[in-house]
Amino acid sequence: MTVREIRIFGDPVLKTVSDPVVDIDDRVRGLIEDLLDSVKVPGRAGVAASQIGVNLRAFSYNVDGEVGYIINPVLVEVSGEPELVDEGCLSVPDLWFKTSRHPFARATGIDLDGNPVEVAGTGVLAQALQHETDHLDGLLYLDRLDKPTRREAMRQVREAPWF
């Protein structure tokens, strides 16, 4: 089991748009194994490849006992009126802020065999699909906060012991 270290706010990889996976080789198979191992740690709903320092479009999720992954995910649908939900991030430890997320999301991509996959859901799964796709686009949930909340969030980041 390889639980990889999570990159923390300030690491440039977290603000970099991830490259698509072109070839499914041993490196990618190892990445998916590490993503799955890393997301199984209690309290984790998702881990993006960029959060473990790999600039490739892939993430794992662990919501309500369902553990999986998507390679080259595309958020193809979000629906419902956006809601403010409590959101945190492994890359911004111990800080939670109300973040606007759609209550339904659907993502498509491929698995390790190159077969199409689709993951869709509401609640925490919808939030995780949006959050992890954001990571692969170089965004943190802090980037989605309204201006006053973001100002407060950045103050708390600067005061955090890990910063």
Side-chain angles (χ1 to χ4, degrees):
M1 182 172 175
T2 306
V3 175
R4 301 270 296 269
E5 181 179 340
I6 300 293
R7 301 295 180 98
I8 301 298
F9 179 92
D11 189 314
V13 73
L14 296 172
K15 299 301 285 180
T16 303
V17 176
S18 297
D19 295 327
V21 172
V22 177
D23 296 311
I24 298 175
D25 54 16
D26 288 342
R27 178 175 173 239
V28 172
R29 291 181 198 288
L31 168 63
I32 297 303
E33 184 178 318
D34 289 353
L35 284 169
L36 290 170
D37 288 345
S38 297
V39 81
K40 290 176 185 173
V41 173
R44 293 184 176 179
V47 176
S50 55
Q51 289 183 282
I52 60 173
V54 179
N55 188 34
L56 289 174
R57 292 192 75 81
F59 68 76
S60 58
Y61 58 90
N62 181 1
V63 178
D64 296 330
E66 181 182 351
V67 177
Y69 67 91
I70 306 178
I71 298 169
N72 292 335
V74 176
L75 197 60
V76 294
E77 180 184 1
V78 291
S79 63
E81 192 65 32
E83 303 168 350
L84 287 177
V85 294
D86 287 326
E87 191 157 329
C89 180
L90 299 171
S91 295
V92 188
D94 305 319
L95 299 180
W96 291 78
F97 294 94
K98 295 280 188 190
T99 306
S100 181
R101 295 290 185 190
H102 292 274
F104 175 84
R106 182 166 58 96
T108 60
I110 59 172
D111 66 15
L112 284 169
D113 296 318
N115 297 317
V117 296
E118 177 179 297
V119 179
T122 59
V124 174
L125 182 56
Q127 186 177 356
L129 294 173
Q130 293 168 79
H131 181 106
E132 301 311 325
T133 303
D134 276 352
H135 273 302
L136 302 177
D137 292 334
L139 297 172
L140 293 171
Y141 84 103
L142 301 176
D143 298 316
R144 297 237 179 240
L145 301 176
D146 62 48
K147 198 169 242 176
T149 306
R150 181 168 165 74
R151 190 175 302 114
E152 173 59 19
M154 296 311 297
R155 184 190 65 74
Q156 289 186 34
V157 164
R158 286 188 298 276
E159 293 175 358
W162 47 263
F163 183 69

